Amino acid sequence: MSLKPDKMDLPPRPKLFDFHGISMTHYFTDNWENVQNFQARPDDILVATYPKAGTTWVSYILDLLYFSKTCQERQKTTPIYERVPFLEITVPSLDSGTEMVEKLPTSPRLIKTHLPVQFVPKSFWEQNCRIVYVARNAKDNMVSFFHFERMNYIQPEPGDWSEFYQKFMDGKLVFGSWYDHVNNWWKKKQDYSNLHYMFYEDMIEDTGREIDKLCHFLGLSPSAEEKRMITGDVQFDSMKKDGMANYSTLGIMDFKVSPFMRKGLVGDWKNHFTVAQNEKFDEDYKKKMKDATLQFRTVL
Ligand code: A3P
């Protein structure tokens, strides 16, 4: 298994830089050649998201759908970030994402990425891999990202809430603009049919229904009992307690600042946005989100 770096071993927080038009940090570009040359297999499944949209949740669901019956040991001993490796990451003293994927014993291999669609290694498209994209409404996504940057030492300093709010609207966060990310992945559906686009809010509203849709996309037909068990295991409170799902084993995060499984809600943005920030945000949102076919819910 990979080494777990402790935050004491880590250099100061990284700086953002422009990388082919997208804000990135070196942790996600240092292994670029290997990422771009990554050889996907036809049965690989890619989970793609903008950070904090529900990646871990959907990764966990996929892992249970494929392996809960055959590899029960894995659920108890292997953290989710090793079961579903993060393709583009490279952190000192930890295997790179591409190395972790190469070492995966499973078939299919489940792979996580936060890359904007234009950066996805071309072999995924050539192999016609199944891709699951998860999107979350911008306001809650922003709040979740803010708390994540506060507690994660390989992320840039978030600044205070109002600074972070501005950076989000300016697209000056790791993996670039939320607006471009969700829109460009949405557009990709038009010419790539093996893409299932999911919404965090739908998952909160009815996890079982969304798992059914996911199974339909994947061509899986779990029994009613399996589905019931998986739906129970992936509820927020259950995952929050599960040491293999809640990232408590990774030294780069400080849970005293904020836990990884923080609130898991739709609408927590109301506890962060001032009235003025909300008005300004909505104005700006209208200008950036012109595609009426892509709609998000900020309340349920
Ligand atoms: P909050 O910070 O709003 O609580 P990612 O996995 O993409 O980093 O996303 C993390 C966000 O998803 C966090 O949001 C986390 O709490 C939430 N999350 C993770 N598992 C969840 C679950 N089972 N149900 C609801 N939300 C979940």
Side-chain angles (χ1 to χ4, degrees):
M1 285 296 139
S2 333
L3 293 169
K4 310 285 179 296
D6 192 87
K7 57 184 171 292
M8 305 308 290
D9 305 333
L10 291 167
R13 283 173 178 256
K15 294 260 180 285
L16 276 185
F17 56 88
D18 181 276
F19 186 74
H20 304 293
I22 303 291
S23 297
M24 290 292 260
T25 65
H26 72 92
Y27 289 121
F28 307 106
T29 58
D30 281 351
N31 195 30
W32 200 245
E33 219 175 292
N34 290 329
V35 170
Q36 287 305 303
N37 293 327
F38 177 77
Q39 289 305 305
R41 298 180 192 156
D43 65 344
D44 283 346
I45 298 173
L46 189 66
V47 185
T49 58
Y50 189 74
K52 312 316 291 173
T55 331
T56 314
W57 195 5
V58 171
S59 301
Y60 203 69
I61 292 171
L62 287 169
D63 189 72
L64 292 182
L65 282 171
Y66 280 101
F67 307 118
S68 61
K69 270 201 306 198
T70 48
C71 315
Q72 279 170 354
E73 208 38 41
R74 176 180 155 88
Q75 261 76 51
K76 295 190 200 113
T77 55
T78 313
I80 190 65
Y81 53 83
E82 287 178 15
R83 290 188 234 166
V84 185
F86 187 177
L87 185 67
E88 59 270 19
I89 201 167
T90 27
V91 176
S93 80
L94 213 136
D95 285 349
S96 68
T98 51
E99 285 166 339
M100 287 173 76
V101 177
E102 298 300 348
K103 286 184 190 167
L104 277 180
T106 57
S107 178
R109 302 184 298 186
L110 306 174
I111 304 168
K112 156 183 163 179
T113 186
H114 288 319
L115 292 174
V117 69
Q118 69 273 23
F119 285 173
V120 170
K122 65 178 189 319
S123 63
F124 284 99
W125 312 117
E126 287 165 355
Q127 298 292 344
N128 197 31
C129 296
R130 284 193 173 92
I131 302 182
V132 177
Y133 186 80
V134 192
R136 184 178 192 182
N137 82 75
K139 293 178 185 179
D140 284 323
N141 205 138
M142 185 196 297
V143 168
S144 183
F145 208 165
F146 172 61
H147 291 292
F148 185 66
E149 288 214 331
R150 291 172 54 236
M151 60 82 96
N152 186 334
Y153 291 92
I154 70 158
Q155 289 289 125
E157 285 287 351
D160 65 15
W161 165 249
S162 58
E163 280 171 67
F164 188 86
Y165 159 93
Q166 195 56 50
K167 283 194 279 191
F168 184 97
M169 290 202 297
D170 295 341
K172 294 279 182 261
L173 297 176
V174 189
F175 297 103
S177 150
W178 174 92
Y179 309 87
D180 292 343
H181 209 283
V182 299
N183 272 302
N184 291 336
W185 273 100
W186 181 253
K187 276 194 221 122
K188 188 72 189 173
K189 267 166 26 95
Q190 289 167 6
D191 61 60
Y192 189 78
S193 59
N194 241 356
L195 173 57
H196 181 62
Y197 201 106
M198 304 176 69
F199 294 91
Y200 180 92
E201 295 72 30
D202 292 348
M203 296 271 300
I204 292 278
E205 183 176 68
D206 191 338
T207 313
R209 178 192 66 205
E210 295 306 309
I211 292 179
D212 282 345
K213 287 199 231 162
L214 187 59
C215 287
H216 184 257
F217 169 69
L218 299 168
L220 297 176
S221 10
S223 67
E225 175 59 11
E226 278 170 65
K227 256 193 316 201
R228 197 189 56 73
M229 277 181 55
I230 293 174
T231 309
D233 286 351
V234 303
Q235 292 309 305
F236 180 78
D237 292 341
S238 169
M239 282 183 60
K240 190 177 170 76
K241 275 188 268 170
D242 179 350
M244 294 297 115
N246 65 15
Y247 277 85
S248 54
T249 46
L250 201 59
I252 57 175
M253 297 178 186
D254 188 346
F255 281 24
K256 289 198 283 302
V257 177
S258 180
F260 182 89
M261 297 286 170
R262 198 183 56 88
K263 289 197 178 171
L265 298 174
V266 179
D268 187 40
W269 61 270
K270 289 180 188 167
N271 298 315
H272 291 74
F273 282 61
T274 64
V275 172
Q277 282 174 339
N278 195 36
E279 281 169 8
K280 182 176 159 194
F281 182 90
D282 287 346
E283 266 314 297
D284 179 67
Y285 189 89
K286 269 186 249 153
K287 289 184 206 139
K288 288 177 176 148
M289 300 293 284
K290 297 276 190 217
D291 184 346
T293 64
L294 179 57
Q295 294 289 337
F296 287 87
R297 293 187 286 171
T298 54
V299 283
L300 287 181

